[in-house]
Amino acid sequence: MEYILIFISAIFVNNIVLAQFLGICPFLGVSKKIDTSLGMSAAVAFVMVLATVVTWLVQTYVLVPNHLEYLQTIAFILVIASLVQMVEIILKKVSPALYQALGIFLPLITTNCAVLGVAILVIQKDFNLAQSVMYAFSTAIGFGLALTVFAGMREQLELTNIPKGMRGMAIVLVTAGLLSLAFMGFSGVDGGLRTFFGLD
């Protein structure tokens, strides 16, 4: 039941983009078309889960035993950058088709603060490895959901007659704000489920 609550909370209640405001750059930059947002979502999901596992292991078995917790952020950044490079090299050799499909999205993930944010959040929440993987996977789904819904909204906006002063980034930011408000409707769902199943 704990894993279901993590899943629901990460996707809807504490959405990484719309509630915690991490990963805003790809959210605004790669959300012009649904197909590109789906590609970015898949790449982020893969790297986010992999990076969370590796950074959790680094934190638990390298930083904490050696009392090097203060190096957490820089160690995690190095690990994530190295992972993205390794994944890129391996995909290029093993599956050129998948490498071509991901295209420019893979290098963009290195600078996606949502990946680093999740790696740090699982340590702060004191999750075990299984909970960390579930949280990373759920957060990636939440990221993908927000990105894809927003891309659909932006495609619809292209067909709408928008007042001249609101065209471009202005209407995009207003739409993002409205989407964020819509997701605020889920706040309290995780607390209600905890009470319902007697986990509090």
Side-chain angles (χ1 to χ4, degrees), residues 26-104:
F27 180 69
L28 294 175
V30 191
S31 59
K32 288 179 182 167
K33 298 266 181 262
I34 290 177
D35 55 346
T36 55
S37 65
L38 286 171
M40 184 65 172
S41 302
V44 165
F46 179 67
V47 172
M48 194 177 276
V49 172
L50 192 63
T52 302
V53 170
V54 175
T55 53
W56 188 91
L57 293 170
V58 167
Q59 175 77 13
T60 307
Y61 296 109
V62 178
L63 299 181
V64 172
N66 296 306
H67 307 291
L68 297 171
E69 293 94 332
Y70 60 91
L71 292 175
Q72 183 190 69
T73 305
I74 196 156
F76 285 11
I77 289 169
L78 290 171
V79 165
I80 291 165
S82 304
L83 270 174
V84 171
Q85 289 301 313
M86 275 187 355
V87 166
E88 201 171 348
I89 291 164
I90 291 166
L91 279 181
K92 204 171 186 178
K93 295 276 185 196
V94 175
S95 178
L98 183 59
Y99 177 76
Q100 287 295 326
L102 291 174
I104 194 159

Side-chain angles (χ1 to χ4, degrees), residues 152-168:
M153 291 170 81
R154 283 184 75 174
E155 282 188 3
Q156 280 296 115
L157 284 173
E158 294 293 320
L159 308 172
T160 312
N161 187 19
I162 299 163
K164 204 170 189 179
M166 288 295 289
R167 287 178 193 160

Side-chain angles (χ1 to χ4, degrees), residues 112-180:
N112 188 347
C113 59
V115 178
L116 177 64
V118 169
I120 291 172
L121 282 169
V122 295
I123 304 299
Q124 288 177 348
K125 291 175 185 284
D126 203 27
F127 283 159
N128 61 34
L129 185 58
Q131 289 172 326
S132 299
V133 170
M134 176 55 93
Y135 182 75
F137 179 70
S138 307
T139 302
I141 290 174
F143 178 84
L145 176 69
L147 197 64
T148 308
V149 168
F150 191 55
M153 291 170 81
R154 283 184 75 174
E155 282 188 3
Q156 280 296 115
L157 284 173
E158 294 293 320
L159 308 172
T160 312
N161 187 19
I162 299 163
K164 204 170 189 179
M166 288 295 289
R167 287 178 193 160
M169 194 47 74
I171 193 68
V172 169
L173 292 172
V174 168
T175 308
L178 291 172
L179 186 59
S180 183

